Amino acid sequence: MFASDFLSIRDFTPAQIRHLLDLACQVKAMPAAYSRSLRGKTLALIFEKPSLRTRVSFDVGIQQLGGFSIYLSPVEINLGKRESVYDVAKNLERMVQGIMIRTFAHKIVDDMAAFASIPVINGLTDYSHPCQAMADYLTIFEAKGRLAGLKLAYVGDGNNVAHSLMFAGAQLGVHVAVAAPDGYEPDRVALDWARKRAAETGGSCTVTNDPTIAVRDADVVYTDAWTSMGQEAEAEVRRKIFLPYQVNAKLFARAKVDAIFMHCLPAHRGEEVTDEVIDSPRSFVFQEAENRLHAQKAIMLELMRDESVAAQEPSATQELELVK
Ligand code: CP
Ligand code: NVA
């Protein structure tokens, strides 16, 4: 069995992360081969925060695999208030075959997985966004033809997206350089984990307050919103603090000449990124958004497909040259 849940990139081995990317490439290339893989299976989509990409990609993704989804908005469940996480888990496991959840505290996702006997997928918490990182490294692989040894500069808030990029980068032998303002660096435990794993895979993980240092010689320049969902009250203060971290043409020009730009979206044009960068030919943001679909189909297949169905599908053992 591959795994029972998809909660954090840290829960997997480097080989398992590479396997998921291999499968995502295969699903993207041959979608018809998987059109009945999750026939009759239903995925509950629990959203405690807004979403465009996560909602649409999971909804369309499970349909393309032969299954169904049910969207449960914040007002419907009101997790922990109208009903406890335990009770929600115990209800859903009797009616659906998987749960995707986007919420605030990471503990809620861990609790849901501990209580529910069905697979649980982390669709973003305050701490991490693992599905995003899988789509991101799939996109980088498509753009660059390899992953190990590349340098990814993450410029901005040391947030959920930064953490998952650090974890996945460490698993894949990537050099991840984070530039964040003083007090907004990534979590220390996340950094220590990424450094330790990167030491085993040939990658690295560094943190600086200077965006020009992070971006130097980068193959990928990545940014995200300065104010994440749930932090709206801090938006004005953050806008001032983060201004030197804006990815504009001047900062982007310090990266390699063929560096690509990435952003998980939604973007706040004129804040963390300027139009000239996000609309440039070297911006991969929409391919990155599309890849949420393919990466998550691979995750759903590994978690939810019956073994008898898997045996009839093309094998995803063709190791792509992710690690050289
Ligand atoms: N990148 C991302 O997760 O987008 P949504 O918030 O729209 O789902
Ligand atoms: N860091 C952002 C990511 C949105 C996809 C947030 O949590 O709001």
Side-chain angles (χ1 to χ4, degrees), residues 39-321:
R39 197 152 40 116
K41 306 230 181 214
T42 301
L43 180 71
L45 306 177
I46 301 177
F47 281 94
E48 299 238 288
K49 293 177 178 177
S51 171
L52 171 67
R53 280 147 294 274
T54 305
R55 179 176 177 186
V56 174
S57 55
F58 270 108
D59 196 349
V60 170
I62 188 132
Q63 287 182 54
Q64 290 183 355
L65 296 172
F68 310 91
S69 73
I70 297 179
Y71 171 70
L72 297 158
S73 76
V75 277
E76 262 140 343
I77 299 194
N78 205 351
L79 255 185
K81 297 188 189 83
R82 182 172 185 268
E83 200 156 6
S84 70
V85 176
Y86 179 86
D87 285 357
V88 171
K90 289 296 162 202
N91 277 266
L92 286 177
E93 72 181 18
R94 288 174 179 257
M95 293 179 242
V96 301
Q97 288 69 46
I99 299 170
M100 191 285 329
I101 172 165
R102 164 170 288 194
T103 187
F104 293 87
H106 190 83
K107 185 175 185 306
I108 295 173
V109 170
D110 284 341
D111 286 350
M112 186 72 82
F115 300 145
S117 59
I118 53 176
V120 173
I121 300 171
N122 175 0
L124 180 148
T125 67
D126 290 343
Y127 194 71
S128 63
H129 197 0
C131 293
Q132 181 68 51
M134 295 308 295
D136 294 341
Y137 284 103
L138 173 60
T139 310
I140 298 167
F141 177 69
E142 289 175 338
K144 298 287 173 190
R146 66 191 180 104
L147 289 172
L150 294 179
K151 179 176 180 185
L152 181 148
Y154 176 93
V155 182
D157 190 16
N159 62 14
N160 44 11
V161 169
H163 291 157
S164 291
L165 285 170
M166 287 161 50
F167 298 150
Q171 298 274 34
L172 294 161
V174 173
H175 301 289
V176 177
V178 177
D182 188 26
Y184 294 87
E185 294 95 343
D187 174 54
R188 185 75 225 182
V189 175
L191 180 61
D192 289 345
W193 188 94
R195 285 196 168 142
K196 195 157 169 267
R197 180 53 58 91
E200 294 160 17
T201 63
S204 63
C205 192
T206 58
V207 177
T208 172
N209 298 130
D210 185 343
T212 63
I213 292 177
V215 163
R216 189 182 304 149
D217 293 327
D219 299 283
V220 180
V221 178
Y222 197 119
T223 191
D224 181 18
W226 292 339
T227 300
S228 284
M229 292 178 278
Q231 301 172 331
E232 288 76 8
E234 300 171 31
E236 203 158 319
V237 174
R238 284 171 170 264
R239 257 195 293 276
K240 290 196 191 87
I241 293 171
F242 281 87
L243 199 55
Y245 296 80
Q246 181 185 69
V247 179
N248 49 35
K250 194 168 164 220
L251 184 65
F252 194 40
R254 289 176 175 268
K256 282 189 179 162
V257 285
D258 61 348
I260 64 169
F261 172 75
M262 297 180 71
H263 191 310
C264 59
L265 305 179
H268 307 80
R269 290 161 176 263
E271 293 190 18
E272 75 270 10
V273 62
T274 55
D275 286 347
E276 59 199 346
V277 173
I278 198 169
D279 295 330
S280 83
R282 287 196 276 142
S283 171
F284 276 65
V285 297
F286 299 121
Q287 185 169 323
E288 180 184 1
E290 180 196 323
N291 280 337
R292 293 290 303 277
L293 174 70
H294 310 296
Q296 290 158 197
K297 281 170 77 175
I299 293 165
M300 288 189 277
L301 281 170
E302 284 300 352
L303 294 180
M304 294 172 69
R305 139 181 90 168
D306 297 330
E307 271 172 32
S308 57
V309 173
Q312 292 162 18
E313 281 164 358
S315 78
T317 49
Q318 47 159 79
E319 271 273 325
L320 297 175
E321 296 286 300

